[in-house]
Amino acid sequence: MKANNKPKKVNKAWLHDHVNDPYVKQAQKDGYRARAAYKLKEIDEQLGLIRPGHIVVDLGSAPGAWSQYVRRRLSPDGAAVGALNGTIISLDILPMEPIEGVVFLQGDFREESVLEQLQEAVEGRPVDVVVSDMAPNLSGIASADAARISHLIELAVDFARSHLKPDGTLVVKLFHGSGYAELVQLFKSNFKVVKPFKPKASRDRSAETFLVGTGLK
Protein backbone atom coordinates (compact mmCIF):
# COMPACT_ATOMS: atom_id res chain seq x y z
CA MET A 1 0.00 0.00 0.00
CA LYS A 2 2.88 2.36 0.76
CA ALA A 3 4.30 1.89 -2.71
CA ASN A 4 0.94 2.81 -4.24
CA ASN A 5 0.69 5.97 -2.18
CA LYS A 6 4.14 7.31 -3.06
CA PRO A 7 3.33 8.68 -6.55
CA LYS A 8 0.30 10.48 -5.11
CA LYS A 9 2.51 12.18 -2.54
CA VAL A 10 4.98 13.20 -5.23
CA ASN A 11 2.17 14.54 -7.41
CA LYS A 12 0.65 16.44 -4.51
CA ALA A 13 4.03 17.95 -3.66
CA TRP A 14 4.56 19.00 -7.29
CA LEU A 15 1.06 20.42 -7.49
CA HIS A 16 1.54 22.33 -4.25
CA ASP A 17 4.83 23.80 -5.52
CA HIS A 18 3.29 24.63 -8.88
CA VAL A 19 0.20 26.34 -7.48
CA ASN A 20 2.30 28.38 -5.05
CA ASP A 21 5.09 29.10 -7.53
CA PRO A 22 5.48 32.90 -7.85
CA TYR A 23 6.43 32.55 -11.53
CA VAL A 24 3.27 30.57 -12.25
CA LYS A 25 1.22 33.30 -10.59
CA GLN A 26 3.12 36.01 -12.45
CA ALA A 27 2.63 34.21 -15.78
CA GLN A 28 -1.12 34.14 -15.19
CA LYS A 29 -1.07 37.84 -14.33
CA ASP A 30 1.08 38.80 -17.34
CA GLY A 31 -0.79 36.59 -19.79
CA TYR A 32 2.04 34.17 -20.53
CA ARG A 33 1.18 30.56 -21.34
CA ALA A 34 3.93 29.18 -19.11
CA ARG A 35 6.38 30.28 -16.42
CA ALA A 36 9.20 29.51 -18.88
CA ALA A 37 8.75 33.02 -20.29
CA TYR A 38 10.68 34.40 -17.31
CA LYS A 39 13.70 32.21 -18.04
CA LEU A 40 14.16 33.82 -21.45
CA LYS A 41 13.19 37.23 -20.05
CA GLU A 42 15.98 37.09 -17.48
CA ILE A 43 18.56 35.93 -20.02
CA ASP A 44 17.49 38.64 -22.46
CA GLU A 45 17.43 41.41 -19.86
CA GLN A 46 20.92 40.56 -18.63
CA LEU A 47 22.51 40.09 -22.06
CA GLY A 48 20.37 42.36 -24.28
CA LEU A 49 19.79 39.78 -27.00
CA ILE A 50 16.40 40.61 -28.55
CA ARG A 51 15.60 44.01 -30.04
CA PRO A 52 12.93 45.47 -32.34
CA GLY A 53 13.62 44.67 -35.99
CA HIS A 54 15.22 41.32 -35.21
CA ILE A 55 14.52 38.00 -36.88
CA VAL A 56 14.13 35.38 -34.15
CA VAL A 57 13.72 31.61 -34.50
CA ASP A 58 12.11 29.80 -31.55
CA LEU A 59 12.82 26.05 -31.51
CA GLY A 60 10.70 23.85 -29.26
CA SER A 61 8.22 26.69 -28.95
CA ALA A 62 5.06 25.03 -27.59
CA PRO A 63 3.03 26.09 -25.67
CA GLY A 64 4.33 29.48 -26.84
CA ALA A 65 5.60 31.39 -23.79
CA TRP A 66 8.98 32.19 -25.35
CA SER A 67 7.35 33.32 -28.60
CA GLN A 68 4.99 35.49 -26.55
CA TYR A 69 7.95 37.10 -24.79
CA VAL A 70 9.80 37.67 -28.08
CA ARG A 71 6.64 39.12 -29.61
CA ARG A 72 6.41 41.70 -26.85
CA ARG A 73 10.09 42.61 -27.29
CA LEU A 74 9.56 43.16 -31.03
CA SER A 75 6.44 45.26 -30.53
CA PRO A 76 7.13 49.01 -30.58
CA ASP A 77 5.02 49.45 -27.45
CA GLY A 78 5.92 46.14 -25.81
CA ALA A 79 2.38 44.89 -26.42
CA ALA A 80 1.11 41.33 -26.68
CA VAL A 81 -0.93 42.25 -29.79
CA GLY A 82 -0.78 44.82 -32.55
CA ALA A 83 2.16 46.14 -34.55
CA LEU A 84 5.24 43.92 -34.78
CA ASN A 85 8.69 45.21 -35.72
CA GLY A 86 10.54 42.06 -36.70
CA THR A 87 9.95 38.40 -37.51
CA ILE A 88 9.30 35.39 -35.27
CA ILE A 89 9.40 31.87 -36.69
CA SER A 90 8.49 29.15 -34.21
CA LEU A 91 8.69 25.38 -34.50
CA ASP A 92 7.61 22.47 -32.35
CA ILE A 93 6.71 18.82 -32.75
CA LEU A 94 3.57 19.63 -30.69
CA PRO A 95 0.71 21.90 -31.79
CA MET A 96 0.73 25.49 -30.57
CA GLU A 97 -2.16 27.92 -30.28
CA PRO A 98 -1.66 30.85 -32.69
CA ILE A 99 0.12 34.01 -31.56
CA GLU A 100 -0.55 37.14 -33.59
CA GLY A 101 2.27 37.76 -36.07
CA VAL A 102 4.17 34.55 -35.26
CA VAL A 103 4.86 32.07 -38.06
CA PHE A 104 4.42 28.58 -36.57
CA LEU A 105 5.59 25.33 -38.13
CA GLN A 106 4.62 21.99 -36.59
CA GLY A 107 7.10 19.19 -37.11
CA ASP A 108 10.11 17.30 -35.79
CA PHE A 109 13.28 19.42 -36.00
CA ARG A 110 15.29 16.20 -36.44
CA GLU A 111 13.61 15.48 -39.78
CA GLU A 112 15.19 16.88 -42.94
CA SER A 113 11.83 17.81 -44.48
CA VAL A 114 10.90 19.91 -41.42
CA LEU A 115 14.29 21.61 -41.43
CA GLU A 116 13.70 22.49 -45.08
CA GLN A 117 10.33 24.07 -44.17
CA LEU A 118 12.06 26.14 -41.51
CA GLN A 119 14.73 27.25 -43.97
CA GLU A 120 12.02 28.25 -46.44
CA ALA A 121 10.30 30.34 -43.76
CA VAL A 122 13.58 32.14 -43.04
CA GLU A 123 13.68 33.04 -46.77
CA GLY A 124 17.45 33.36 -46.84
CA ARG A 125 17.45 36.25 -44.36
CA PRO A 126 20.20 36.29 -41.74
CA VAL A 127 18.77 35.48 -38.30
CA ASP A 128 19.61 37.62 -35.25
CA VAL A 129 18.73 35.18 -32.48
CA VAL A 130 17.90 31.47 -32.26
CA VAL A 131 16.37 30.31 -28.97
CA SER A 132 15.85 26.64 -28.21
CA ASP A 133 13.82 25.21 -25.36
CA MET A 134 13.85 21.81 -27.06
CA ALA A 135 14.17 18.74 -24.88
CA PRO A 136 13.62 15.09 -25.78
CA ASN A 137 11.30 12.74 -23.94
CA LEU A 138 13.58 11.38 -21.22
CA SER A 139 13.80 7.64 -20.61
CA GLY A 140 15.64 7.75 -17.30
CA ILE A 141 18.60 5.95 -18.89
CA ALA A 142 21.38 8.51 -18.48
CA SER A 143 23.48 7.57 -21.51
CA ALA A 144 20.49 7.41 -23.88
CA ASP A 145 19.04 10.67 -22.57
CA ALA A 146 22.40 12.44 -22.85
CA ALA A 147 22.70 11.30 -26.46
CA ARG A 148 19.21 12.60 -27.31
CA ILE A 149 19.87 15.96 -25.67
CA SER A 150 23.23 16.26 -27.42
CA HIS A 151 21.68 15.45 -30.79
CA LEU A 152 19.10 18.23 -30.49
CA ILE A 153 21.72 20.77 -29.41
CA GLU A 154 24.07 19.74 -32.21
CA LEU A 155 21.22 20.27 -34.71
CA ALA A 156 20.51 23.69 -33.19
CA VAL A 157 24.20 24.63 -33.50
CA ASP A 158 24.24 23.45 -37.13
CA PHE A 159 21.16 25.53 -37.89
CA ALA A 160 22.69 28.56 -36.15
CA ARG A 161 25.93 28.21 -38.09
CA SER A 162 23.96 28.21 -41.35
CA HIS A 163 21.52 31.01 -40.58
CA LEU A 164 22.78 33.35 -37.85
CA LYS A 165 24.29 36.74 -38.54
CA PRO A 166 28.03 36.79 -37.75
CA ASP A 167 27.28 38.54 -34.44
CA GLY A 168 24.09 36.58 -33.79
CA THR A 169 23.20 34.55 -30.70
CA LEU A 170 22.07 30.99 -29.95
CA VAL A 171 20.40 30.14 -26.63
CA VAL A 172 19.84 26.45 -25.81
CA LYS A 173 18.49 24.49 -22.88
CA LEU A 174 20.61 21.61 -21.62
CA PHE A 175 21.10 19.64 -18.44
CA HIS A 176 24.02 19.16 -16.08
CA GLY A 177 25.22 15.58 -16.21
CA SER A 178 26.54 13.22 -18.81
CA GLY A 179 27.63 15.03 -21.96
CA TYR A 180 27.43 18.55 -20.46
CA ALA A 181 31.15 19.31 -20.75
CA GLU A 182 31.19 18.17 -24.37
CA LEU A 183 28.30 20.49 -25.25
CA VAL A 184 30.04 23.44 -23.60
CA GLN A 185 33.10 22.62 -25.72
CA LEU A 186 30.91 22.42 -28.83
CA PHE A 187 29.71 25.96 -28.10
CA LYS A 188 33.25 27.20 -27.47
CA SER A 189 34.30 25.72 -30.81
CA ASN A 190 31.56 27.62 -32.65
CA PHE A 191 31.06 30.89 -30.76
CA LYS A 192 33.38 33.68 -29.67
CA VAL A 193 31.56 34.29 -26.38
CA VAL A 194 29.93 31.45 -24.40
CA LYS A 195 28.01 31.98 -21.17
CA PRO A 196 26.25 29.38 -19.01
CA PHE A 197 23.07 30.73 -17.44
CA LYS A 198 20.81 29.46 -14.66
CA PRO A 199 17.77 31.78 -14.51
CA LYS A 200 16.04 32.30 -11.18
CA ALA A 201 12.85 30.94 -12.77
CA SER A 202 14.61 27.61 -13.37
CA ARG A 203 13.84 25.55 -10.28
CA ASP A 204 16.77 24.94 -7.94
CA ARG A 205 16.31 21.19 -7.89
CA SER A 206 16.28 20.99 -11.67
CA ALA A 207 19.46 20.06 -13.58
CA GLU A 208 18.24 22.40 -16.30
CA THR A 209 20.55 25.20 -17.37
CA PHE A 210 21.12 27.29 -20.50
CA LEU A 211 24.05 28.04 -22.76
CA VAL A 212 24.32 31.32 -24.65
CA GLY A 213 26.70 31.54 -27.59
CA THR A 214 27.29 34.87 -29.36
CA GLY A 215 29.40 35.68 -32.43
CA LEU A 216 30.13 32.87 -34.85
CA LYS A 217 33.75 31.80 -35.16
Side-chain angles (χ1 to χ4, degrees):
M1 292 298 290
K2 288 181 180 179
N4 290 336
N5 288 336
K6 192 171 183 181
K8 292 181 182 178
K9 290 179 181 177
V10 171
N11 290 340
K12 282 182 179 178
W14 179 89
L15 188 61
H16 178 271
D17 288 349
H18 184 75
V19 169
N20 292 283
D21 187 317
Y23 291 103
V24 172
K25 293 179 179 179
Q26 193 64 41
Q28 293 168 347
K29 181 179 176 182
D30 293 343
Y32 286 119
R33 296 176 182 177
R35 68 192 298 286
Y38 301 102
K39 300 173 188 178
L40 182 59
K41 185 175 188 286
E42 186 179 341
I43 294 170
D44 179 43
E45 287 178 346
Q46 290 218 16
L47 302 179
L49 304 179
I50 302 165
R51 294 187 291 278
H54 273 179
I55 297 174
V56 181
V57 173
D58 180 7
L59 303 174
S61 59
W66 278 22
S67 288
Q68 285 180 303
Y69 173 75
V70 174
R71 200 230 180 278
R72 297 181 193 195
R73 290 289 291 125
L74 299 187
S75 172
D77 302 313
V81 294
L84 182 65
N85 180 10
T87 301
I88 309 166
I89 303 166
S90 302
L91 183 147
D92 202 288
I93 195 169
L94 299 171
M96 186 177 91
E97 288 293 320
I99 298 170
E100 184 179 343
V102 175
V103 176
F104 175 66
L105 304 172
Q106 185 176 353
D108 190 335
F109 186 63
R110 295 167 293 188
E111 294 179 3
E112 190 65 33
S113 60
V114 174
L115 186 56
E116 287 175 3
Q117 290 179 50
L118 181 57
Q119 290 168 340
E120 287 174 11
V122 171
E123 297 177 341
R125 297 168 293 175
V127 175
D128 295 279
V129 182
V130 176
V131 295
S132 172
D133 200 27
M134 291 190 297
N137 290 325
L138 301 179
S139 65
I141 301 170
S143 58
D145 291 340
R148 290 179 183 139
I149 292 164
S150 295
H151 181 52
L152 286 174
I153 292 173
E154 287 163 5
L155 289 175
V157 170
D158 287 345
F159 178 81
R161 285 206 62 83
S162 299
H163 297 282
L164 273 183
K165 289 181 177 177
D167 61 347
T169 297
L170 171 64
V171 180
V172 301
K173 177 168 72 177
L174 70 168
F175 299 89
H176 281 290
S178 177
Y180 176 80
E182 289 80 3
L183 292 172
V184 172
Q185 191 55 51
L186 174 67
F187 261 61
K188 288 181 176 179
S189 299
N190 286 280
F191 296 97
K192 295 173 184 174
V193 179
V194 177
K195 295 182 179 179
F197 210 99
K198 177 78 170 178
K200 295 183 181 69
S202 187
R203 292 186 171 103
D204 291 340
R205 62 178 177 274
S206 171
E208 170 189 89
T209 189
F210 295 84
L211 271 183
V212 183
T214 300
L216 293 171
K217 283 188 173 180

